[in-house]
Amino acid sequence: MQTLVPETDVVKRIVAERRGRPGPLLEILHAIQGELGYIPGGAVPVVAQGLNLSRAEVHGVVTFYHYFRRSRPGTHTVQICRAESCQSMGAEALAEHARARLGIDFHETTANGRFSLEPIYCLGNCACSPAVMIDGQLHGRVTPERFDALIAAGEKAK
Amino acid sequence: MTTIVYVPGDAGALSLGAGEVAAAILAEAKRRGADVTVVRNGSRGAYWLEPLVEVVTAAGRVAYGPVSAADVPALFAADFLRGGVHPKAHGVTDSIPWLQGQQRLTFERVGVIDPTSVADYVKHGGYRGLTRALSMSGADIVQAITTSGLRGRGGAAFPTGIKWKTVLDQRTAQKYVTCNADEGDSGTFADRMLMEGDPLSLIEGMTIAGIAVGATQGYIYLRVEYPHALRTLQAAIAAATQAGYLGADVAGSGKRFDLEVRVGAGAYICGEETSMLESLEGKRGEIRVRPPLPAIKGLFGQPTIVNNVITLGSVPWILDHGADAYANFGTGKSRGTLPIQLAGNIRRGGLIERAFGLTLRELLYDYGGGTATGKPIRTVQVGGPLGAYIPASQFDTAVDYEALSGIGALLGHGGIVVFDDSVDMARMARYAMEFCAIESCGKCTPCRIGSTRGVEVIERIIQGIDAERNVQLLEELCDLMVQGSLCGLGGMAPFPVQSALKYFREDFRARPR
């Protein structure tokens, strides 16, 4: 059985490992989100103390960047590109379809904790629009049918 | 003897199933007892043919595409390992007309080589530019870049040589070379393709920049949306370090250059150079007021080169072939080549590297073949979310910095997004303001508040509420944002709105509800 390490210990370790690097705050936040899936509110004072910053400064950085999240994500994170290139190939209809299929709006997580739906502004796959990224895997020319197949795979997978 | 088969590991090709294709080829080869080595190259940029599989034959590399995993048994049955005939065969890759007419300098190795193999890179002309640079003085390297006419490919088009000279002239112990790989413009993917397909050219370009101006540390600021590029860059940096091209003694010269990748966190504004520097320092990506210029006071307050991926990736070619050879391409003040990205609703989308001067019409119809949906092209947006919408009546405009600014548009990072006649330009205008509102760093009021007011005003126009008066209000708001914003985000977000109003006024009239 996996030993549960308290979140604060994880944050303290990450800060200790990286505090000596030049301009380390973003790297530290990336590492925390990488391990815990999000930046818990309790991490902010720990990071602030470790870097000799105010809590406001750390909070300000966490909230400035769209990528950092302050709540636990679903098992799978579904990002739908909403930028111009994907719009020209039906991304708005795809977004509508995704909302209906998952029963949630953007920035929400399904009640069973399976999927989080996030908007994204360009995945750099603009010659294969519309694009979707699921757990870091990129998908191009995504039709509503293909989207449903990807979600069905996510429902089965652990 | 083993047959070499190339299956792209490029994110775009993977998004269309290249991973499954590679696995299917290996499985089928095993089943048939065929000796096959699969190499994961970058993409040739012909995304309408991806996944594009290439087989090395006596006649050269023969292309098949778009290949799905289901096609693989039939390809083996057609003896594709010896270039056999198949409905998806395109003959020798280099003679595919779409590719053959291109002038690939910066992208000469992309899709051709194994991206993280230093040996393959050197075999294809890699590190000749650095070798040349190491025999030159810093001032001479900078002069070569100036003579080449290279301008910043990220969008601002500032002469690269002048920027480098400013950093060279600073007398400080620590200088930095930073690469802006925060490619956030919709319709652009050239940076991603280069980083995934030939990352060593970027690494070599940054090393040359460091040697030229006396900087020992480089940072690549990469957007978090590019996890594939991150993995490739890290593998390439490790390989270059292992081979002695990075670190304390670059290629035996006794000169130091270290390089690392820093990952952004989903903020479009960090593509603005001073905002990127703030972010690299671990802060909120709020823009800095200039002066001082980053070349004088940049990262951690030290003189810093900030260049885009394509700018730096073009440097090795210039040093290797000479500044004049590069300047011989292009037209007017737009020298060299431009990797153009054809995106959105287009039949044959992808990357086209050609000397400056091609017209939009040639790109959209000769290369692009019209829209993917088969409907007429109504408009294209050039230069990302801050670029103007261009109507079909102006498609004879050349794609270079001066010609586009002459019609009130901008080239930006060279992305062209195509829309068919179903596009609603009032909605696209609303989106431009919405995007600015989402991505504004908040430092200045015209951008922070203006964009939100812009969304509201356009929404009222779409709803048919007092359309005429609200259009006038919108025009005034655009003027204010252009004149009053601190940086290009708020200052240029009105461009798509103004162009939509100018060329597609009918979409802003009171409409039936």
Side-chain angles (χ1 to χ4, degrees), chain A residues 21-23 25-27 30 60-61 63-68 82-85 87-89 120-128 133 136 138-141 146, chain B residues 11-12 15-16 47 186-187 189 192 219 223 225-226 260 262-266 279 281-285 343-345 381 385 417-419 428 431 435 438-439:
Chain A
R21 310 220 332 121
L25 180 51
L26 246 68
E27 288 204 323
H30 269 297
V61 172
T63 51
F64 182 86
Y65 294 97
H66 300 302
Y67 175 77
F68 295 132
R82 308 197 69 188
E84 291 92 339
S85 176
Q87 286 187 43
S88 79
M89 289 299 285
I120 199 151
Y121 297 91
C122 199
L123 291 160
N125 200 25
C126 319
C128 314
M133 193 176 258
L138 186 60
H139 304 279
R141 297 185 194 134
R146 181 120 181 273
Chain B
S15 84
L16 302 172
Y47 280 103
S186 176
F189 44 85
R192 180 187 61 70
Y219 290 101
R223 63 200 300 259
E225 292 85 350
Y226 283 180
E260 66 174 80
R262 289 285 179 104
V263 181
S279 188
E281 292 182 8
K283 301 174 187 161
R284 289 164 65 90
N345 194 337
Q381 186 181 30
V417 177
V418 182
F419 294 83
M428 296 319 295
Y431 172 78
F435 182 73
I438 294 167
E439 299 297 342

Side-chain angles (χ1 to χ4, degrees), chain B residues 166-249:
Chain B
T166 310
V167 177
L168 174 70
D169 289 345
Q170 306 306 307
R171 298 271 163 260
T172 57
Q174 181 68 62
K175 299 175 185 176
Y176 296 101
V177 177
T178 60
C179 171
N180 185 342
D182 195 45
E183 182 177 53
D185 288 354
S186 176
T188 65
F189 44 85
D191 293 353
R192 180 187 61 70
M193 274 186 65
L194 191 77
M195 292 186 286
E196 292 176 358
D198 190 18
L200 288 160
S201 68
L202 170 60
I203 293 168
E204 183 184 352
M206 291 184 75
T207 310
I208 293 170
I211 301 285
V213 303
T216 53
Q217 177 68 50
Y219 290 101
I220 298 170
Y221 183 83
L222 178 71
R223 63 200 300 259
V224 70
E225 292 85 350
Y226 283 180
H228 304 80
L230 175 62
R231 288 192 287 272
T232 312
L233 280 172
Q234 283 173 334
I237 288 172
T241 307
Q242 178 76 29
Y245 286 106
L246 283 174
D249 183 19

Side-chain angles (χ1 to χ4, degrees), chain B residues 266-282:
Chain B
Y268 176 76
I269 190 63
C270 292
E272 195 281 337
E273 63 178 4
T274 62
S275 165
M276 183 199 83
L277 294 171
E278 289 289 300
S279 188
L280 269 175
E281 292 182 8

Side-chain angles (χ1 to χ4, degrees), chain B residues 325-383:
Chain B
Y326 191 78
N328 279 339
F329 290 91
T331 167
K333 285 181 184 164
S334 301
R335 310 311 312 179
T337 58
L338 177 72
I340 295 154
Q341 301 121 87
L342 209 45
N345 194 337
I346 189 85
R347 231 174 90 207
R348 294 191 296 265
L351 185 123
I352 297 145
E353 182 177 355
R354 286 275 304 253
F356 285 96
L358 223 59
T359 67
L360 280 169
R361 191 177 304 283
E362 287 171 291
L363 283 162
L364 297 172
Y365 295 99
D366 298 351
Y367 279 96
T371 63
T373 45
K375 295 176 173 180
I377 300 177
R378 186 169 187 219
T379 184
V380 297
Q381 186 181 30
V382 182

